[in-house]
Amino acid sequence: MDLSPDETAAALRGLLAFYAEAGVDEALADEPVDRFAETLEAKARRASSATRAEARPGGDQGSREAEPGRAAPRKSFLPEAPPTAAPRPQTAAVPDGAQAALARELARSAGTLEELRRIMFDFDGCNLKATAKNLVFADGNPEADLMLVGEAPGRDEDIEGLPFVGRSGQLLDRILAAIDRDRTSAYIANVIPWRPPGNRDPSPMETEICRPFIERQIELAAPKVLITLGNPSTKALLRTQEGITRMRGTWREHVTPGGVRIPTMPTLHPAYLLRNPAHKRLAWRDFLEVRARLATFS
Ligand code: URA
């Protein structure tokens, strides 16, 4: 069926609107590439060839903020952070249980935060890495007695390779300042270290694949108190299905893979507070609780 120029223009506008809604925000090439199919082919090729000695084990409540209001680029407080730019893998991994098992094994093998960062940088088992610009590992002071964990990087974080640098990060900095903290006295990370394309929610399998890394990160940083920011982080780290509105404000425990129990305060995500400023007083209460608890350790 031939379309008139007007009809063609309308059809193209509709297609563009569909892409925008689906979270397609970057044109990478003129032709589509099925990276999942590539991965399966590569797997099949690997399976048919003998195991090679040099093959390494990795071979095979909306909380993220809207785009506008980007913060000025900021320097990390982390000493000597290695490059975070993730080399684009040739193929995107199919997110499955095997990748989650591999992530668990690799995370366990990390003896330091630096090793963990390297392992995550090299890990190709999470499809989110294929579309992210950077690994967003952490910001702040890994020696701090306080650690905060959010959900996943947004656009600004992806660009800078640092967590919480956009609008919700600015609010988080103000909240921290209210309890006399900043990024020299707090350590900040996310459950998911790669930006989900178009800021979509990470899938349960993507979360399952990334969870061992953040659990090991917490274990290695060994904070005295942990804050989970928002629903997804609270659910992932406290292994609960309860919503953040019921969980927030009451002390819980995060249990590390090695069995250490860390007092944990679930609270509302800064991006949620930006949309619901009246609830800031609830978060304020939670952070005062945290300050009081931290004071008992000094
Ligand atoms: N929201 C998050 O959960 N993490 C970030 O790093 C930024 C926004």
Side-chain angles (χ1 to χ4, degrees):
M1 180 183 68
D2 286 340
L3 297 179
S4 71
D6 279 356
E7 286 168 330
T8 304
L12 288 174
R13 269 198 301 276
L15 186 61
L16 266 182
F18 169 79
Y19 282 150
E21 272 168 29
V24 179
D25 57 2
E26 218 171 323
L28 298 177
D30 289 339
E31 296 297 327
V33 179
D34 185 346
R35 297 198 188 278
F36 289 112
E38 282 180 7
T39 304
L40 292 173
E41 271 172 34
K43 265 192 180 167
R45 269 201 305 278
R46 268 200 301 279
S48 66
S49 64
T51 39
R52 274 188 251 130
E54 71 272 22
R56 63 186 173 77
D60 294 17
Q61 142 206 316
S63 58
R64 271 151 305 112
E65 62 205 81
E67 305 296 329
R70 195 142 94 75
R74 207 175 43 72
K75 209 171 163 333
S76 169
F77 289 92
L78 287 177
E80 288 187 41
T84 54
R88 288 197 187 274
Q90 295 306 302
T91 59
V94 177
D96 62 15
Q99 303 298 341
L102 177 61
R104 281 196 292 278
E105 190 187 317
L106 290 171
R108 239 194 331 264
S109 74
T112 64
L113 286 169
E114 198 36 58
E115 260 176 54
L116 182 66
R117 184 204 281 262
R118 282 276 155 213
I119 286 169
M120 289 165 67
F121 185 79
D122 289 340
F123 182 66
D124 285 340
C126 182
N127 51 302
L128 295 176
K129 182 179 176 183
T131 46
K133 289 188 173 60
N134 278 304
L135 167 73
V136 176
F137 182 72
D139 195 15
N141 182 355
E143 307 279 311
D145 53 3
L146 173 63
M147 179 167 179
L148 301 96
V149 181
E151 181 189 7
R155 181 173 173 273
D156 299 334
E157 289 76 20
D158 186 36
I159 290 169
E160 290 196 32
L162 291 171
F164 285 101
V165 294
R167 282 182 66 227
S168 59
Q170 292 165 16
L171 176 57
L172 184 61
D173 286 342
R174 288 199 296 277
I175 297 172
L176 283 173
I179 60 161
D180 307 312
R181 296 267 167 168
D182 59 20
R183 294 187 191 218
T184 64
S185 50
Y187 185 56
I188 305 175
N190 283 308
V191 171
I192 307 281
W194 296 283
R195 179 198 182 200
N199 286 1
R200 68 163 167 78
D201 288 342
S203 72
M205 184 49 81
E206 287 160 355
T207 304
E208 213 40 48
I209 290 171
C210 295
R211 190 215 302 261
F213 294 129
I214 185 63
E215 287 184 341
R216 186 70 181 138
Q217 198 170 350
I218 295 168
E219 190 162 52
L220 289 168
K224 294 207 163 66
V225 168
L226 181 67
I227 296 178
T228 53
L229 297 165
N231 232 340
S233 156
T234 301
K235 285 185 170 165
L237 297 178
L238 297 180
R239 296 187 180 259
T240 177
Q241 283 312 309
E242 263 194 84
I244 187 66
T245 39
R246 288 178 67 86
M247 295 285 286
R248 64 141 288 278
T250 52
W251 285 105
R252 313 278 167 150
E253 278 181 337
H254 167 73
V255 185
T256 69
V260 176
R261 296 176 174 274
I262 302 179
T264 301
M265 174 59 71
T267 192
L268 302 168
H269 193 284
Y272 171 83
L273 297 176
L274 286 171
R275 293 192 299 269
N276 301 276
H279 289 175
K280 281 184 190 165
R281 63 188 171 82
L282 299 176
W284 170 236
R285 251 189 251 161
D286 302 344
F287 276 82
L288 287 182
E289 272 287 330
V290 167
R291 178 161 72 179
R293 184 80 176 239
L294 285 167
T296 66
F297 296 113
S298 51

